[in-house]
Amino acid sequence: MTRGPTGDNLERALAGDEAALAAVVDHLTPIVQCRVARGLLRRRDRSAPGREVRQEVEDLVQEVFLVLFADRGKVLRSWQRERGLSLENFVGLVAERQTASILRSGKRCPWQEDPTLLEEMDQASTGGGPEESTATREQLRLLWTRMTEQLSPLGRHLFDLLFLQELSPDEVRQATGLSADAVYAWRSRLRRLARRLLGEVSEAAPTRRRTTMRRGP
Amino acid sequence: MSEDPLLDDLVRVTREENAAERSRLDERWDRLAAGTATAEEVAELRALAERSAEAAAAFEAFRPLEADFRQRVVRAIREQDARTEAAPAVPAPARWSWRFPRLGVWLASGGAAAAVTAVAIRLAVLAPSPLPRYAIAEVSGGTATMRSERSGESPVFEPGDPFEAEAQPATAVAGGEHLDIECFLARDGEFRRLESSAEVDPRGTRRLSGRIDPDVAPGLWRLWVVVARPGKLPAAADLAASLEAGSTHDRGWVATFREIEIRAP
């Protein structure tokens, strides 16, 4: 992808410069479109004709941009380069979050910084050590969708670094500029969030045959 | 392994799902959306679309969104901005008539319209309009002068360096010569007010001169410039909380920032 607008261009766009806004939209449209398209194709009813897919993509892409720029660009202004997340990746994660929310509930995901990581998380602590997982594959898929909706781009970025890429806390600290305490706190919170959301997913879905998934050797 | 079975299973399934998706929708599709796919790749994807309904849907989803769509998006953003900045609606006068029957007669005769208009005019005269957005057009001092056109680089300073910053409003500000302005450095919950002085022009442009604190730690910081109507600048702690929460304006003040890098001498 060609090098796009800089932080300066973005700042001017947020200050109302129309040319800068057009440049930012031009640069970010393919990124948003790809994330929207993947999210939509993953979830849509395959019987719908291709023409509706196009309209859905356009509607969702526009909706993501409106979220990014709403309230004088509150979402875009929350991007912090020093956390190791590029603007493009940040915007892509916002697009995934909004796509998941809109397709599931028909509503935009309200922008708040990981509310489930505040009082609710502390109150919902399960106590004790990790339990054996009894989640089905379908439940885990749904769980991932719910986590996509709930987590901010920073939260998703940290989940990716800590669990998908399996970086050490020290490596994550260096990549994001967060303190060691903050990285450990995020790791605990992400675990608790996953357990809480799995509980919600399990309550919402009809009971199916459960397969106990054991850890490999 | 995370030593948490649920997380381990979630990660495993997520990786498997991601890998399966990448094999169905590889990077050629991303390049199609970006307009950077080769002619050969476009032909390959088109051929796939002709053979399968799923690929046909993907082709429609990833086909580039053209300039007219992007212009519509820009218009939609501007319209959203305009709705955000519109004045709140005056309450409908008819709500009062049930409590004050004679008032109801007066309202019905159009008296309310005149009264509401008079109040609105009075409020407009007494209450200054919200400040326009500001942008930092230039940051100088330290090792380089950075104008807003230079791309991808943060201005670099050392602790104790002098700095100058020019903050420009998007539109001319009524009473622009009377605005207050302050500078702050912020990161990771730390919020420091910088000593600075300002030159002003009647349009509201501010040129600030100040000095980076000598005990600032190296790293990336946000240099915040906050412009406020006289007496409307919040206390530092309240301002820090607002900016941390992503709120960069209120009726009486507006904030903008530029990232700067502090390097050890």
Side-chain angles (χ1 to χ4, degrees):
Chain A
M1 188 165 295
T2 57
R3 185 177 173 80
T6 64
D8 298 333
N9 221 356
L10 178 61
E11 190 177 323
R12 284 191 286 132
L14 292 171
D17 183 324
E18 188 126 351
L21 175 61
V24 168
V25 169
D26 278 348
H27 174 63
L28 295 177
T29 290
I31 297 158
V32 174
Q33 181 186 2
C34 287
R35 303 291 183 111
V36 162
R38 289 179 184 277
L40 181 63
L41 292 170
R42 199 181 302 133
R43 294 178 181 89
R44 67 182 282 268
D45 175 3
R46 287 177 172 74
S47 63
R51 197 154 41 105
E52 292 181 9
V53 168
R54 185 68 174 174
Q55 190 59 58
E56 284 189 80
V57 167
E58 290 186 0
D59 290 347
L60 284 167
V61 168
Q62 177 165 304
E63 193 62 24
V64 169
F65 273 108
L66 291 177
V67 165
L68 288 168
F69 283 93
D71 194 18
R72 298 196 183 197
K74 179 176 179 179
V75 171
L76 280 172
R77 289 178 196 280
S78 71
W79 169 59
Q80 292 177 285
R81 184 191 303 177
E82 62 271 24
R83 291 286 174 249
L85 200 55
S86 67
L87 174 65
E88 291 79 6
N89 212 355
F90 174 87
V91 167
L93 291 173
V94 172
E96 286 184 23
R97 187 184 194 189
Q98 292 301 323
T99 301
S101 178
I102 292 169
L103 291 178
R104 185 178 71 85
S105 66
K107 297 177 197 171
R108 280 185 194 180
C109 192
W111 187 257
Q112 37 197 348
E113 194 61 32
D114 297 304
T116 54
L117 302 180
L118 303 175
E119 301 87 5
E120 287 182 38
M121 293 300 304
D122 293 333
Q123 291 166 9
S125 172
T126 56
E131 299 162 4
E132 185 174 291
S133 171
T134 58
T136 65
R137 190 180 186 87
E138 182 61 23
Q139 285 173 326
L140 291 166
R141 273 203 206 108
L142 289 172
L143 171 57
W144 181 240
T145 300
R146 292 299 309 283
M147 288 190 75
T148 300
E149 286 178 50
Q150 295 270 333
L151 286 171
S152 67
L154 177 61
R156 280 284 308 277
H157 182 49
L158 285 163
F159 186 93
D160 181 62
L161 295 177
L162 284 166
F163 297 113
L164 289 177
Q165 294 187 39
E166 295 184 289
L167 298 186
S168 69
D170 196 52
E171 288 171 319
V172 174
R173 188 186 57 77
Q174 289 177 27
T176 62
L178 290 171
S179 67
D181 284 347
V183 171
Y184 281 106
W186 268 101
R187 194 169 66 170
S188 298
R189 288 166 181 170
L190 288 168
R191 285 177 177 151
R192 292 206 296 272
L193 176 66
R195 285 194 210 110
R196 183 173 71 78
L197 291 178
L198 180 64
E200 292 177 10
V201 162
S202 301
E203 281 170 16
T207 303
R208 296 182 182 181
R209 184 177 67 86
R210 288 179 183 269
T211 303
T212 300
M213 301 180 83
R214 294 189 183 276
R215 293 167 57 192
Chain B
M1 292 293 209
S2 71
E3 299 184 354
D4 182 319
L6 172 58
L7 263 296
D8 291 343
D9 289 338
L10 176 63
V11 166
R12 182 151 44 89
V13 168
T14 301
R15 282 183 182 145
E16 289 169 2
E17 295 285 314
N18 288 346
E21 185 186 278
R22 280 287 162 190
S23 73
R24 285 195 313 271
L25 296 172
D26 57 36
E27 287 170 0
R28 292 175 298 173
W29 296 97
D30 297 321
R31 289 195 286 273
L32 177 65
T36 57
T38 63
E40 210 170 46
E41 288 176 333
V42 175
E44 287 166 4
L45 297 176
R46 222 184 267 282
L48 282 173
E50 285 166 7
R51 290 200 294 271
S52 123
E54 205 170 317
F59 197 89
E60 284 301 297
F62 283 92
R63 188 159 54 83
L65 293 167
E66 302 294 352
D68 59 339
F69 170 80
R70 299 172 192 207
Q71 286 162 13
R72 284 206 310 274
V73 169
V74 170
R75 275 200 302 275
I77 292 168
R78 299 297 284 163
E79 286 165 8
Q80 179 177 256
D81 288 345
R83 285 194 298 273
T84 302
E85 296 192 20
V90 178
R95 290 203 314 241
W96 305 333
S97 63
W98 66 269
R99 182 173 283 186
F100 304 106
R102 290 187 184 176
L103 177 60
V105 173
W106 175 69
L107 290 173
S109 69
V116 164
T117 303
V119 168
I121 291 172
R122 184 171 173 77
L123 285 174
V125 168
L126 293 178
S129 54
L131 290 170
R133 297 172 196 177
Y134 270 74
I136 299 176
E138 179 177 311
V139 177
S140 59
T143 62
T145 293
M146 294 290 181
R147 286 210 63 88
S148 58
E149 299 85 51
R150 190 173 298 189
S151 62
E153 302 171 31
S154 299
V156 178
F157 295 87
E158 293 181 2
D161 273 352
F163 74 89
E164 289 190 346
E166 184 174 288
Q168 292 179 350
T171 55
V173 183
E177 62 273 27
H178 301 301
L179 298 175
D180 294 335
I181 188 164
E182 295 277 0
C183 272
F184 301 87
L185 276 185
R187 76 165 189 183
D188 284 347
E190 193 174 349
F191 195 71
R192 295 166 163 255
R193 180 180 169 279
L194 299 179
E195 293 293 335
S196 62
S197 58
E199 295 171 8
V200 61
D201 72 22
R203 192 178 174 276
T205 296
R206 287 291 192 280
R207 187 154 192 92
L208 296 118
S209 302
R211 190 171 290 275
I212 303 292
D213 288 348
D215 61 341
V216 169
L220 285 176
W221 289 77
R222 288 189 173 184
L223 177 67
W224 282 98
V225 172
V226 185
V227 181
R229 297 278 182 200
K232 296 296 183 184
L233 188 68
D238 294 335
L239 182 61
S242 292
L243 298 179
E244 183 72 22
S247 177
T248 58
H249 71 279
D250 200 342
R251 192 172 177 86
W253 63 270
V254 62
T256 184
F257 74 89
R258 175 68 65 84
E259 277 189 353
I260 66 171
E261 184 181 348
I262 308 287
R263 288 186 187 162

